Amino acid sequence: RLRMPVTLPGAMVLGAAVAGNRGSGMTAAADAAEMTGRWLAAAGVNIDFAPVADVNVRPSNPVIGIRSPGAFPDVVGDAVTGQVSGFDAAGILSTAKHFPGHGDTATDSHLGLAKVTHSRAQMRRIDLPPFQDAVDAGIPAVMVAHVTVPAVDSKPATVSRKVVTGILRDEMGFDGLVVSDSLGMGAVASRPNLYRDVVAAGIDVLL
């Protein structure tokens, strides 16, 4: 991991800026992402697995927290959109994560398989709008989370064709790169036929 020579505001700070003033907040998000992107480009890196597009509606969430711009879909979407434009200005590919939403989970997917108990209607109202905003803004890549959404499929999203192809590709119209979260994470690492099933779900890049 690279350490930048300056400390930039984190996602939740950018979300607070957007909530305070949408225009200047989105500009701040773009500026922070562009600065990060230029630093990465100088080091020879051409993709950043950011921004986080999760709507953190569970205060006790053990893994997302301040990595998310906040608990309101419109605020998160605006912060993400600003960051997409900033990374693009720096010539860096950005990645919205963790699809279809890791903001209302009680489990850290680095350690175990997390579950999102939202209905499809709740997903459309809470979890998916920031990702749709990112898609509409032309984001080049989306990272899929190791979470189950029983309302859609009993299988983890990473190996779910219903999630990756059905929702992200077909319903939301995303035609860029689909990236898995790390396949060494505790949520899926011991799953049989993991790599075959990830590819079959429609994921392009396996981490």
Side-chain angles (χ1 to χ4, degrees):
R1 292 177 184 263
L2 301 175
R3 290 192 177 274
M4 292 183 65
V6 296
T7 300
L8 294 174
M12 190 165 282
V13 175
L14 296 175
V18 167
N21 184 294
R22 183 173 184 263
S24 62
M26 292 180 71
T27 298
D31 289 345
E34 183 175 359
M35 190 176 297
T36 301
R38 292 190 183 282
W39 177 250
L40 291 172
V45 177
N46 62 9
I47 186 168
D48 192 354
F49 296 128
V52 168
D54 301 314
V55 182
N56 197 60
V57 293
R58 183 187 292 251
S60 61
N61 192 315
V63 66
I64 301 302
I66 61 171
R67 299 167 67 197
S68 162
F72 301 97
D74 56 339
V75 169
V76 175
D78 286 343
V80 166
T81 298
Q83 290 174 84
V84 172
S85 67
F87 282 119
D88 186 60
I92 295 293
L93 301 178
S94 54
T95 311
K97 64 183 184 184
H98 307 80
F99 188 84
H102 208 319
D104 192 3
T105 59
T107 302
D108 182 345
S109 52
H110 294 89
L111 306 176
L113 184 59
K115 180 187 290 187
V116 178
T117 59
H118 290 179
S119 66
R120 281 181 174 266
Q122 287 175 308
M123 288 178 66
R124 286 192 290 268
R125 187 175 70 251
I126 299 170
D127 304 296
L128 297 180
F131 290 99
Q132 188 67 65
D133 289 342
V135 170
D136 294 345
I139 196 157
V142 172
M143 179 184 285
V144 180
H146 303 313
V147 299
T148 58
V149 187
V152 178
D153 198 345
S154 61
K155 297 185 291 188
T158 333
V159 296
S160 172
R161 190 165 182 82
K162 292 179 181 178
V163 171
V164 177
T165 299
I167 296 178
L168 182 58
R169 293 289 196 199
D170 297 341
E171 293 182 20
M172 299 177 67
F174 179 64
D175 62 0
L177 286 173
V178 182
V179 183
S180 78
D181 209 340
S182 169
L183 299 176
M185 290 165 63
V188 295
S190 62
R191 185 181 178 87
N193 303 312
L194 176 61
Y195 300 100
R196 182 198 68 187
D197 292 347
V198 167
V199 172
I203 289 179
D204 306 301
V205 180
L206 283 62
L207 299 188

